[in-house]
Amino acid sequence: MKLQRKNRLRATALGALAVSGALVLTACGSDDNTESTGSGDKTAAASSNIKCDDAKGQVLAAGSSAQKNAMDLWVKNFQQACAGVEINYQPIGSGGGITKFTQGQVAFAGSDSALKPEEVTASEKICKGGKGINLPMVGGPVAIGFNVPGVDSLVLDAQTLAKIFDSKIKKWDDKAIADLNPDAKLPGTAIQAFHRSDESGTTQNLNKYLKAAAPAEWNYDDSSKSWEAKGGQAASGSSGVASSVKDTEGAIGYFELSYATASDLTTVKVDTGAGAPVEATTENASKAIAAAKVKGTGNDMALELDYATKAEGAYPIILVTYEIACDKGNKAETLPSVKAFLNYTVSDEGQKVLSEAGYAPLPTEIAAKVREIVPTLS
């Protein structure tokens, strides 16, 4: 318990650092952090391996709120190293980000699910001579956080989670929950299940997990980014769901682990059918993500995840956030900055900051492939 509390405190502190990073979204890096070459090109800070190349000006991006805390750290580090660059990322949800991308309003979008065929087609109007491609950039567990006074540990399986989020289990002392938690003192408190009000890749990944692991109990479209289940209460963004759970007795909701640790929320251990229930940690999520297969073709790196895994220690409710960019036909004024920024985020240095912030770095083989693709964007 002491180690768990220590980890939570560290994650909370890092969450605060991430928030502070958001404050520099509209500021450029200091000239004191850069050196100039004879040709006037900017190079990375002496204490960093970030390569700025010809990056300059403002880059607009939007999408997944799941990666917001990671993006805040990346933007902070990149802008400190590269003077004169502003990466302005709006965490409006995956659906909103893809819409802005296919309308040509942003240079790249963040999405917790790969582009659908119709979205690829729409992107061809913006990516002149090319199309939008999926570049995996960050992974992590979708944590199920709860607020039940007197209950410090909770185990649930896919079937029970499906019934809770579909309003079929309405009390915390329901027999299905009690059978999974024989030592817990479960109250008769009403369950307040929170879900996302906006189109969300986080919602879609939870849908995919419940459909794969509890198909008889979850009869909803697992390709939808919108919440379709009955009942429950809605909140905007992962931060809104996490705040609602924290402020509501009897609440349960889903969000990325970084939001759970920042809000000091206890998370559910998932009974997958393995030898022991699996906790939502970056290490356990990495075990599941490492088994992903690339289903995209060419430079598209869309992944196929196994949400029904029963591997020991593999946390099954996972997501991978993609940066959606044009393979060809990017705007000339933003292309150098987009490439420099994405080169940093997928680098060893960029991936290293993820673990301590509650995210799972990309598996080595996948990261290596993305590093080969980013420099080819044109």
Side-chain angles (χ1 to χ4, degrees):
M1 295 299 292
K2 289 183 178 180
L3 178 59
Q4 183 180 31
R5 177 170 178 79
K6 181 179 179 181
N7 287 338
R8 283 185 182 171
L9 289 172
R10 184 177 66 174
T12 302
L14 285 163
L17 175 60
V19 171
S20 69
L23 298 178
V24 301
L25 282 172
T26 56
C28 298
S30 167
D31 288 339
D32 293 337
N33 293 329
T34 63
E35 300 173 343
S36 296
T37 64
S39 61
D41 293 336
K42 297 181 291 299
T43 62
S47 60
S48 169
N49 293 319
I50 297 175
K51 296 181 180 179
C52 305
D53 297 325
D54 297 321
K56 61 182 179 180
Q58 184 186 64
V59 173
L60 298 180
S64 164
S65 64
Q67 69 170 353
K68 177 186 180 300
N69 293 338
M71 188 61 72
D72 285 348
L73 285 170
W74 282 334
V75 168
K76 174 178 178 290
N77 293 342
F78 186 75
Q79 291 184 168
Q80 283 182 340
C82 304
V85 184
E86 178 188 342
I87 308 294
N88 190 332
Y89 183 81
Q90 301 173 346
I92 60 175
S94 299
I98 290 175
T99 297
K100 281 183 174 292
F101 177 73
T102 56
Q103 292 178 349
Q105 298 179 27
V106 294
F108 69 89
S111 177
D112 304 322
S113 57
L115 291 170
K116 297 178 181 179
E118 60 269 25
E119 293 169 338
V120 174
T121 299
S123 74
E124 292 174 354
K125 298 178 182 179
I126 301 302
C127 306
K128 301 301 182 182
K131 62 182 179 180
I133 56 173
N134 304 283
L135 299 173
M137 200 59 67
V138 58
V142 178
I144 308 296
F146 65 95
N147 178 358
V148 184
V151 179
D152 297 324
S153 180
L154 187 69
V155 175
L156 296 174
D157 57 17
Q159 292 76 18
T160 307
L161 280 167
K163 291 177 180 178
I164 287 173
F165 281 112
D166 203 18
S167 301
K168 293 177 180 177
I169 292 179
K170 300 181 179 180
K171 300 284 186 179
W172 278 109
D173 60 355
D174 187 276
K175 184 177 184 301
I177 301 176
D179 287 347
L180 290 165
N181 299 274
D183 297 327
K185 295 182 179 179
L186 298 167
T189 308
I191 294 175
Q192 306 289 337
F194 285 88
H195 58 264
R196 291 279 290 272
S197 61
D198 51 323
E199 283 198 345
S200 162
T202 311
T203 293
Q204 185 182 39
N205 281 277
L206 178 63
N207 271 334
K208 287 182 178 294
Y209 161 70
L210 294 173
K211 191 71 171 179
E217 287 78 17
W218 198 251
N219 299 308
Y220 301 102
D221 181 6
D222 64 355
S223 68
S224 176
K225 295 184 179 71
S226 300
W227 187 257
E228 298 181 356
K230 301 174 183 177
Q233 301 181 56
S236 179
S238 291
S239 59
V241 176
S243 296
S244 297
V245 172
K246 184 176 180 64
D247 295 340
T248 307
E249 186 172 317
I252 187 170
Y254 59 95
F255 29 75
E256 294 67 42
L257 182 61
S258 61
Y259 291 93
T261 51
S263 297
D264 198 26
L265 287 168
T266 306
T267 60
V268 168
K269 296 182 180 70
V270 178
D271 184 344
T272 64
V278 185
E279 187 176 356
T281 67
T282 57
E283 294 82 4
N284 292 343
S286 291
K287 292 177 183 178
I289 294 172
K293 298 178 180 179
V294 177
K295 64 179 181 180
T297 58
N299 282 344
D300 185 85
M301 288 289 292
L303 302 176
E304 182 177 348
L305 303 173
D306 181 7
Y307 298 93
T309 180
K310 295 182 180 179
E312 294 295 332
Y315 184 79
I317 318 176
I318 50 178
L319 61 75
V320 170
T321 301
Y322 302 90
E323 310 311 335
I324 308 295
C326 295
D327 58 354
K328 299 177 182 178
N330 288 277
K331 294 181 179 179
E333 61 269 26
T334 56
L335 178 60
S337 296
V338 169
K339 291 172 69 173
F341 181 66
L342 297 183
N343 274 327
Y344 160 60
T345 61
V346 78
S347 69
D348 285 336
E349 185 172 350
Q351 292 290 300
K352 185 177 180 180
V353 304
L354 297 176
S355 294
E356 294 181 340
Y359 295 93
L362 294 176
T364 302
E365 291 184 3
I366 294 175
K369 291 180 180 178
V370 177
R371 287 175 193 144
E372 293 176 356
I373 294 169
V374 172
T376 70
L377 300 180
S378 63

